[in-house]
Amino acid sequence: MLHLLVFVAAVVGIGWLIGATNLPGEWYAGLAKPGFVPPNWAFPIAWTILYVMIAIAGWRTYRREPGGKAMLAWAAQLALNFAWSPVMFTMHQIGAALVILIGLFVAIVGYIGLEMSRDRLAAALFVPYAAWVAFAGVLNAAIWRLN
């Protein structure tokens, strides 16, 4: 149970820290955006829930096979996830952020595929995450196109 708490605290904590230190700010506010952009308050709520789910899935994989392919896919998706906000909001690289999201989506789907036969719950915990990242990719692409 201690490992679960460490996973949740680390994933949520680092996610919040990255979010708090790479805020959208005036640059993002000044960009043209499509009409389907969620309100700003929705993002921290959605990401907190997703980070908890990501942590639980990672913990389940770690318990079973800490050095396996699924754990590597989990770590890869987390690294890409944590890279997106600095690239988008601090470096203002909309196209590069989109490339990161595409890689992130591929890593998420890869993780789901690896875990589907071994841990259906871990795989299922990543399905809403995949949907959210797919939506974020469409949003990122629309912002890139508009600007």
Side-chain angles (χ1 to χ4, degrees):
M1 189 55 97
L2 178 61
H3 284 130
L4 174 59
L5 295 175
V6 169
F7 266 83
V8 172
V11 173
V12 174
I14 294 169
W16 282 351
L17 179 63
I18 289 171
T21 57
N22 296 278
L23 297 170
E26 291 180 30
W27 170 80
Y28 181 76
L31 294 175
K33 292 180 232 23
F36 58 88
V37 176
N40 288 339
W41 59 262
F43 290 97
I45 294 169
W47 277 113
T48 300
I49 293 166
L50 290 170
Y51 281 143
V52 169
M53 294 168 72
I54 291 165
I56 294 169
W59 167 72
R60 292 176 64 87
T61 301
Y62 178 80
R63 279 187 331 169
R64 188 187 70 254
E65 193 176 6
K69 288 181 184 177
M71 198 70 224
L72 291 174
W74 184 88
Q77 66 74 30
L78 196 62
L80 290 165
N81 179 310
F82 289 163
W84 185 84
S85 289
V87 170
M88 179 69 168
F89 297 132
T90 301
M91 298 166 70
H92 305 163
Q93 298 296 315
I94 303 169
L98 180 57
V99 171
I100 290 170
L101 279 178
I102 292 167
L104 175 56
F105 184 77
V106 169
I108 292 167
V109 171
Y111 177 83
I112 292 169
L114 289 166
E115 286 295 76
M116 188 60 73
S117 63
R118 292 183 265 180
D119 187 341
R120 288 176 119 6
L121 178 57
L125 287 167
F126 262 49
V127 172
Y129 180 30
W132 182 259
V133 168
F135 171 74
V138 170
L139 179 59
N140 194 146
I143 291 170
W144 186 42
R145 184 180 54 81
L146 291 170
N147 295 279

